[in-house]
Amino acid sequence: MNKKRIIAGFLACLMGTAALTSCNKKSGSESSDSVVEPAPINVEGLEEPAVAQSGDAYLAIVDGRWWIQYWGKDEEDGLMLAYGAENASITGDGDYTVKITTDTKGFRYKTTGSVYGSYTPSGCSFAAIIVKDGTTKFPNMSIVINSIKVNGKEIPLKTKNYTSSDDGVEMRANIYNEWISTPPMDAHSPEGSVAGSSDYSSVIIDRSAFDEGWTDVEVSFTVTDTGLS
């Protein structure tokens, strides 16, 4: 009698376990059918970063947090805005335009972790037109900034920019660089040396134009005395 009860109990336990397992499998199946997982994002399919080559002009820019940046390269400190940057190859005297934008999959992925995310930089810690190897390739070149647009709206220029080099290799025209009080010894314009002149500045804009957030920045400029026909 005791053996029969033990066997019956054992069989009941097995049946209960089978029923529970069956229940769990059904529940999991229903759950997976009702939840649609998003397709994985192929980050290899992001836009190609824009990397400035020798003789290319680009818009170097840094937001107010020193987080969002572009320095003409695709390394980590310049990658976010590299995806939508439009650089300009200097092929002679004339007018050129450079741009950056946040409207790219690459920017959204790098700032939010998702190509569907949203992030708007604000503020400005630094901005300049820089020509890679410009001083060595075009030692007498001058850059004159004609217009700056933030989010499609032209902002006023407070004074005139000058052309100079920090390292004897690049050529630059500062737009916003508060670390320079007066034009350096190599500062020049199409008219000649402007070293120490109060008519020229490394800060030619009011940076408050960037404080409300920006998605697109475009700078048009003219270069002279490149030595190219």
Side-chain angles (χ1 to χ4, degrees), residues 162-219:
Y162 60 84
T163 306
S164 66
S165 176
D166 279 354
D167 58 5
V169 178
E170 68 175 17
M171 188 77 83
R172 72 164 61 181
N174 287 305
I175 295 171
Y176 187 85
N177 186 345
E178 62 182 346
W179 291 276
I180 300 177
S181 56
T182 57
M185 290 302 296
D186 67 337
H188 60 279
S189 75
E191 287 72 43
S193 174
V194 297
S197 173
S198 59
D199 294 332
Y200 295 81
S201 176
S202 63
V203 177
I204 65 171
I205 60 168
D206 186 339
R207 70 174 179 181
S208 64
F210 292 80
D211 287 349
E212 297 301 316
W214 44 272
T215 57
D216 300 88
V217 183
E218 173 183 312
V219 181

Side-chain angles (χ1 to χ4, degrees), residues 5-54:
R5 286 181 179 176
I6 293 173
I7 293 172
F10 179 69
L11 291 175
C13 183
L14 287 177
M15 292 176 64
T17 303
L20 181 60
T21 303
S22 175
C23 234
N24 286 340
K25 286 183 178 178
K26 184 177 180 182
S27 176
S29 176
E30 288 177 350
S31 176
S32 64
D33 288 342
S34 61
V35 177
V36 178
E37 295 293 335
I41 300 302
N42 180 12
V43 295
E44 296 299 326
L46 302 181
E47 298 90 349
E48 187 72 21
V51 179
Q53 304 301 309
S54 182

